[in-house]
């Protein structure tokens, strides 16, 4: 899932400066699961933001809130159209994709991000989320016993650990597992250590964000004549 | 004191301990400040951060959350979770400048009537020091807010709201 966390209330308050009616829009998908922008968090951030506005003498600003199923798909945003027309601005509690989908759908409305989108990751334990994938566009987990060194090794090493791996921890941050220790341990348990003897080729970054923003097209699913927008 | 300046403090009490203790304080005719209004919850774990913030938004001057002794919650860890939520709400109160001091969590047993009177007094004195909430809009509105919180508490107990 996409993992995000909230911005501080004063930052949101300053961002919406100059607007008198603001709609906070939560998203019911990834950011609900990572407890950043679902219905409950929207309620909390909404109440905190209204109080914060009052405390700085901007109590006249109306902040209302709602949460939709998914912000990154037009079909789910449509139900907002009527409501949005009653506000000067939108503050999205979706990920960056949600914020931008709202901005495109409502060209006349300023849209502000209420969250900081962090990464693609997993719930490691209750209340802790960890980054697992950079979305590099050319997955090589098969070469590395199912552990991604591109995301999880601080130096993105593809051919074994650096000299700083200590007792399973990374030298860059002692709170982080050494990805290469994990790769080795898993390969050993799977009996596939010999596969790690092969020299891993340099990574082709052209399929990643370095090659510019990407698009996935499924011709069979495109509606004739519509296709990709650009 | 101008009635508009009279403080309103909510005591959000767990049914199994603090609520019974408050009841006992009453039967023992112990004195505690009239600013403290008791609302009953099935367990402090039912008290979510947004419930606390909504109360402050309605102009309530202070909140004390009172649950069972640690290890004594009837739902095992409810009061430990409540404490974490109270901590989170306190951080948010600091962040917006209302101040974490207006909110506190206490633990006590149902047999501690005098302790209830003590924490009610302690919280009242603390809020007196801080002064009325800058978010209050006059006593009528605050009392309407309390009534609203009470019905919200009922809805929470009935499971209609989370
Ligand atoms: S190799 Fe690329 S796609 Fe696969 S997990 Fe790592 S970053 Fe993600
Ligand atoms: S210690 Fe492990 S994870 Fe950290 S940089 Fe070195 S090889 Fe990568
Ligand atoms: S039952 Fe009293 S705090 Fe949980």
């Amino acid at each position: 899932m996409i993992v995000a966390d909230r911005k501080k209330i004063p930052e949101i308050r300053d961002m919406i400066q100059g607007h008198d009616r603001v709609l906070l829009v939560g998203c019911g998908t990834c950011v609900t699961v990572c407890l950043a922008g679902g219905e409950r968090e929207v309620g909390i951030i909404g109440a905190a933001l209204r109080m914060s506005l009052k405390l700085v003498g901007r109590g006249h600003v109306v902040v209302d809130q709602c949460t939709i199923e998914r912000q990154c798909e037009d079909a789910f945003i449509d139900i907002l159209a009527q409501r949005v027309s009653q506000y000067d601005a939108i503050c999205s509690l979706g990920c960056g994709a949600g914020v931008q989908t709202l901005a495109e759908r409502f060209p006349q409305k300023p849209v502000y991000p209420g969250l900081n989108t962090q990464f693609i990751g997993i719930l490691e334990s209750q209340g802790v989320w960890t980054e697992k994938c950079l979305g590099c566009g050319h997955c090589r987990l098969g070469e590395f016993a199912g552990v991604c060194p591109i995301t999880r090794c601080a130096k993105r090493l593809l051919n074994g650990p650096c000299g700083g791996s200590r007792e399973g921890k990374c030298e860059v941050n002692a709170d982080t597992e050494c990805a290469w220790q994990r790769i080795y341990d898993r390969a050993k348990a799977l009996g596939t250590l010999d596969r790690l003897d092969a020299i891993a080729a340099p990574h082709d970054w052209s399929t990643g964000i370095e090659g510019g923003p990407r698009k996935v097209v499924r011709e069979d699913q495109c509606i004739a004549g519509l296709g990709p927008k650009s | 004191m101008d009635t508009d300046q009279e403080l309103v403090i909510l005591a959000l009490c767990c049914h199994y301990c603090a609520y019974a203790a408050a009841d006992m304080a009453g039967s023992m005719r112990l004195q505690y400040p009239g600013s403290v209004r008791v609302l009953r919850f099935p367990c402090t774990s039912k008290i979510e951060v947004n419930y606390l913030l909504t109360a402050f938004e309605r102009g309530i001057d202070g909140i004390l959350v009172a649950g069972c002794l640690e290890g004594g919650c009837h739902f095992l860890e409810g009061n430990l979770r409540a404490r974490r939520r109270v901590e989170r709400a306190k951080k948010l109160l600091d962040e917006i400048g209302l101040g974490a001091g207006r909110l506190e969590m206490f633990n006590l047993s149902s047999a501690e009537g005098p302790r209830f009177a003590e924490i009610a007094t302690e919280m009242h004195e603390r809020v007196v020091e801080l002064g009325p909430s800058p978010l209050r809009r006059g006593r009528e509105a605050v009392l309407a807010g309390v009534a609203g919180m009470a019905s919200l508490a009922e809805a929470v107990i009935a499971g209609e709201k989370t």
Side-chain angles (χ1 to χ4, degrees):
Chain A
M1 81 178 113
I2 292 171
V3 179
D5 58 2
R6 75 174 173 88
K7 286 185 181 287
K8 293 262 192 269
I9 303 295
E11 184 182 346
I12 302 178
R13 186 191 65 209
D14 293 346
M15 250 185 332
I16 59 165
Q17 182 106 36
H19 301 296
D20 289 339
R21 293 182 59 81
V22 178
L23 184 63
L24 272 185
V25 183
C27 173
T29 310
C30 303
V31 293
T32 291
V33 184
C34 68
L35 308 180
E39 196 172 358
R40 183 172 293 171
E41 294 305 308
V42 171
I44 292 169
I45 293 171
L49 183 58
R50 282 188 294 272
M51 286 194 273
S52 166
L53 284 160
K54 269 187 207 144
L55 289 168
V56 296
R58 284 161 61 199
H60 65 282
V61 178
V62 175
V63 176
D64 290 335
Q65 62 214 37
C66 66
T67 301
I68 57 174
E69 190 68 28
R70 197 173 304 156
Q71 273 187 29
C72 56
E73 247 182 87
D74 266 344
F76 293 96
I77 295 179
D78 271 343
I79 51 162
L80 274 183
Q82 182 91 42
R83 187 129 194 230
V84 161
S85 64
Q86 301 159 27
Y87 296 86
D88 308 339
I90 300 171
C91 177
S92 159
L93 296 181
C95 73
V99 180
Q100 295 181 64
T101 314
L102 288 175
E104 258 175 54
R105 176 66 181 76
F106 303 113
Q108 309 300 324
K109 300 287 171 195
V111 181
Y112 301 98
L115 302 182
N116 292 319
T117 303
Q118 302 291 352
F119 49 73
I120 301 175
I122 59 140
L123 179 71
E124 181 184 300
S125 61
Q126 182 66 22
V128 180
W129 291 268
T130 318
E131 183 163 22
K132 295 290 177 190
C133 171
L134 289 183
C136 74
H138 174 207
C139 192
R140 297 176 64 181
L141 283 171
E143 289 172 58
F144 304 112
V147 176
C148 177
I150 293 169
T151 311
R152 296 169 61 185
C153 166
K155 297 171 191 168
R156 296 188 182 171
L157 300 176
L158 299 184
N159 285 289
C162 70
S165 178
R166 291 278 177 281
E167 285 160 13
K169 300 292 180 198
C170 172
E171 74 165 349
V172 173
N173 181 353
D175 291 337
T176 309
E177 282 184 316
C178 166
W180 271 100
Q181 185 71 53
R182 293 287 298 134
I183 293 169
Y184 179 84
D185 291 345
R186 258 187 70 83
K188 193 170 175 193
L190 292 168
T192 56
L193 271 179
D194 55 321
R195 287 207 200 171
L196 295 180
D197 290 341
I199 304 289
H203 197 64
D204 173 6
W205 293 103
S206 69
T207 57
I209 186 65
E210 289 74 7
R214 296 160 283 173
K215 205 184 282 284
V216 172
V217 181
R218 271 280 301 267
E219 303 284 0
D220 62 320
Q221 293 290 324
C222 294
I223 298 173
L226 284 181
K229 279 187 192 157
S230 53
Chain B
M1 194 192 246
D2 173 0
T3 50
D4 246 15
Q5 293 301 305
E6 268 177 44
L7 298 171
V8 179
I9 296 167
L10 292 184
L12 309 181
C13 296
C14 159
H15 163 81
Y16 292 100
C17 54
Y19 190 75
D23 203 27
M24 178 188 269
S27 349
M28 290 171 75
R29 299 184 178 277
L30 299 174
Q31 297 284 323
Y32 64 83
S35 58
V36 178
R37 321 251 156 166
V38 176
L39 292 187
R40 181 172 63 118
F41 282 80
C43 168
T44 49
S45 59
K46 210 64 185 104
I47 303 164
E48 289 287 349
V49 175
N50 47 5
Y51 188 88
L52 298 168
L53 295 188
T54 303
F56 283 114
E57 198 183 349
R58 291 179 184 192
I60 277 143
D61 302 296
I63 301 181
L64 72 88
V65 174
C68 300
L69 294 171
E70 294 198 356
C73 170
H74 287 234
F75 303 94
L76 306 177
E77 300 184 341
N79 51 358
L80 305 180
R81 284 167 188 247
R83 181 168 289 281
R84 293 212 193 135
R85 291 184 189 136
V86 166
E87 290 305 326
R88 177 160 185 238
K90 277 158 111 21
K91 276 198 191 130
L92 276 156
L93 293 177
D94 265 342
E95 200 174 304
I96 63 172
L98 191 60
R102 293 185 184 274
L103 173 63
E104 206 55 72
M105 170 134 188
F106 299 90
N107 300 85
L108 74 173
S109 83
S110 58
E112 292 181 287
R115 174 76 183 132
F116 181 83
E118 206 175 282
I119 62 175
T121 309
E122 182 184 327
M123 203 60 201
H124 173 82
E125 282 168 2
R126 187 198 285 195
V127 178
V128 166
E129 192 105 329
L130 294 169
S133 164
L135 295 171
R136 61 158 48 209
R137 301 154 293 173
R139 189 168 168 76
E140 285 307 308
V142 176
L143 291 182
V146 174
M149 294 316 290
S151 50
L152 208 55
E154 288 304 321
V156 165
I157 290 169
E160 290 157 14
K161 267 213 149 56
T162 52

